[in-house]
Amino acid sequence: MTAAVPPLAFDPFDYAMHEDPYPTYTRLRAEAPAYRSPRLGFWALSRHADVKAAFRDAARYSNKHGVALDPDAFSPEAERGASFLAMDPPRHDRLRALVSRGFTLRRVAALEPRIRAIAVEHLEACAGRERWDAIDDFAGKLPMDVISDLLDLPRADRDTLRGWADTVVHREQGVTGRPPAAGVAAMEMMRYFGRTIGERRARPGDDLLSALLVAEVDGDRLTEQEIMGFLFLMVIAGSETTTKLLGNALYWLWRNPEQRQRLREDPSRIAQWVEETARYDNSTQALARLLTVDTELHGQAMRAGDMIVLLVGSANRDESVFADAERYDLLRDTTHTLAFGHGTHFCLGASLARLEGRVALEEIWRRLPDFEIDMATSARVHSVNVRGFAHLGMVGRI
């Protein structure tokens, strides 16, 4: 007797979904490409074409309530923490133009020696140990150090910042709003940035924060609230997502020995290791939008004011775009990935994330190509938007 197929249900707050959302994504694309969650009150778009179209149509799919799926965070106040991720053009374009000067391709490329030095420093601290944690000892430290160097934040503060960032994204089972601890951590981080901005105004230096304080476009300058929002975004988006990308890359290479062999044969494929991981198991799984006009899609009537959830993780496994999409393949053409978004809100830090990923994995591969992972000491992070590991037990002596 064939087992009954359970009703299709998508709940991004469910811990089981954090463990493996991909079977549900497959069903969503096939059975309900415009899926309505009656309990949580959102629409979810899961096909590559629909997610890409929504990214491109900023007028219809607005960012003005932010990108978080938490009902109490999806609001007109979202820009306090999400910066220009919670803005539409032309305001978005003004702020992005002011901050983008710190992320030009030339400026990012110039960071490679420093990123490599940071990676080497953290790996050498693990030398001689048979067991270590890829997140606690390496992947969680490197992105925060890079961002802190850009902003010239004290070394002594970096573990505290990472702890706040982890708390901001963590969600408890069954909780569909922002937990009190996440709100407290966000406020502490904002107070910290407020103090730092005051100190930097008094003693500017040669760093990105000092540059933001004096940056102008057509005589327009950033307000203190805008700078605080951008700093918050850098720490949360720039640190958390890259940390998870690195952990996911190590995990999936370990799970796919034939792909590890490809790296042995040609280590120059490490950049593609980053790209395929971002497609196959992206750290950013879902982004919210506010629908501004009544829209019919796949026979479903969506109303202005509805929350639309763009399932990036599903779009990147869409079989109509990526042949054999469920296969992790370092030889794949990832040209059409939506891992870093598309259009107006394409990730400002994409080139930096790619550089950090490549350099970090090059240094691990150089020292420990035969690493193993101990799943007994590994655990996934529980977050609505972000997917990855809170702990990843590495076995192998550096």
Side-chain angles (χ1 to χ4, degrees):
M1 180 179 295
T2 303
V5 177
L8 177 57
F10 170 62
D11 181 354
F13 296 90
D14 184 358
Y15 273 23
M17 192 65 60
H18 302 166
E19 292 299 324
D20 186 6
Y22 294 105
T24 300
Y25 290 165
T26 299
R27 290 190 62 189
L28 287 171
R29 291 192 301 273
E31 301 172 32
Y35 170 84
R36 176 68 173 175
S37 172
R39 184 174 73 86
L40 299 171
F42 61 69
W43 294 93
L45 304 184
S46 51
R47 292 182 180 173
H48 187 280
D50 295 328
V51 173
K52 183 177 180 179
F55 276 139
R56 296 179 67 177
D57 192 349
R60 182 181 300 268
Y61 298 95
S62 169
N63 276 62
K64 63 185 178 182
H65 281 193
V67 298
L69 275 60
D70 302 284
D72 47 358
F74 187 72
S75 77
E77 306 299 318
E79 72 175 66
R80 292 182 178 180
S83 187
F84 52 78
L85 278 186
M87 299 177 189
D88 293 326
R91 192 151 177 262
H92 162 273
D93 300 343
R94 165 192 167 272
L95 182 55
R96 185 175 175 119
L98 284 166
V99 301
S100 63
R101 296 177 179 182
F103 294 90
T104 64
L105 289 175
R106 187 174 69 176
R107 282 179 177 268
V108 169
L111 295 172
E112 181 166 345
R114 178 56 187 151
I115 294 172
R116 197 171 298 279
I118 293 170
V120 169
E121 175 187 345
H122 290 309
L123 287 172
E124 288 184 347
C126 299
R129 293 159 55 186
E130 181 65 26
R131 293 177 178 270
W132 48 289
D133 191 309
I135 306 301
D136 287 345
D137 298 322
F138 182 69
K141 292 179 178 292
L142 185 144
M144 185 63 74
D145 280 349
V146 173
I147 290 167
S148 298
D149 276 5
L150 284 171
L151 299 172
D152 194 22
L153 302 179
R155 276 181 168 266
D157 296 345
R158 297 177 187 186
D159 284 344
T160 300
L161 282 167
R162 183 188 163 204
W164 285 333
D166 287 344
T167 303
V168 166
V169 302
H170 177 74
R171 293 296 176 266
E172 296 294 337
Q173 175 75 298
V175 175
T176 57
R178 177 179 290 180
V184 171
M187 286 190 292
E188 290 294 337
M189 198 179 300
M190 286 300 197
R191 290 191 189 103
Y192 174 85
F193 289 142
R195 293 193 300 271
T196 303
I197 289 169
E199 293 165 359
R200 202 62 49 85
R201 284 192 193 279
R203 292 181 296 279
D206 183 21
D207 59 87
L208 179 58
L209 176 51
S210 296
L212 290 175
L213 290 170
V214 297
E216 288 190 15
V217 172
D218 298 328
D220 206 5
R221 296 176 68 165
L222 295 169
T223 67
E224 183 162 319
Q225 186 63 48
E226 287 172 335
I227 293 174
M228 288 174 64
F230 176 68
L231 298 181
F232 188 88
L233 175 63
M234 278 195 72
V235 168
I236 300 297
S239 174
E240 287 291 321
T241 55
T242 306
T243 293
K244 273 52 179 183
L245 174 63
L246 290 171
N248 291 347
L250 293 168
Y251 173 76
W252 287 113
L253 194 75
W254 173 69
R255 285 283 304 271
N256 291 272
E258 75 284 359
Q259 302 304 317
R260 195 193 302 234
Q261 182 58 34
R262 284 179 170 165
L263 276 183
R264 289 193 179 99
E265 295 167 358
D266 184 2
S268 70
R269 296 193 185 281
I270 286 179
Q272 190 57 26
W273 183 10
V274 175
E275 294 298 326
E276 175 64 348
T277 301
R279 180 205 70 87
Y280 187 79
D281 197 17
N282 193 27
S283 50
T284 300
Q285 286 283 300
L287 296 166
R289 293 292 192 268
L290 179 71
L291 192 65
T292 61
V293 294
D294 291 353
T295 300
E296 184 171 324
L297 191 61
H298 300 295
Q300 301 297 318
M302 304 185 297
R303 302 302 182 194
D306 286 348
M307 177 196 282
I308 309 295
V309 177
L310 306 182
L311 294 177
V312 180
S314 174
N316 281 340
R317 296 271 191 113
D318 192 327
E319 303 84 348
S320 70
V321 177
F322 303 101
D324 199 10
E326 298 295 321
R327 175 177 168 79
Y328 186 69
D329 184 0
L330 301 193
L331 301 184
R332 182 186 302 281
D333 179 0
T334 58
T335 302
H336 298 292
T337 181
L338 297 177
F340 295 101
H342 186 79
T344 301
H345 287 276
F346 182 79
C347 177
L348 183 63
S351 58
L352 179 58
R354 285 170 160 142
L355 177 62
E356 288 181 278
R358 175 177 62 78
V359 170
L361 294 175
E362 283 174 351
E363 295 301 328
I364 288 180
W365 185 255
R366 184 173 292 123
R367 290 164 175 78
L368 196 61
D370 297 318
F371 69 88
E372 296 292 334
I373 289 177
D374 178 9
M375 292 307 297
T377 57
S378 302
R380 288 197 172 275
V381 68
H382 291 295
S383 169
V384 184
N385 295 70
V386 177
R387 174 170 165 79
F389 288 91
H391 301 285
L392 191 64
M394 295 286 282
V395 182
R397 195 180 302 275
I398 295 175

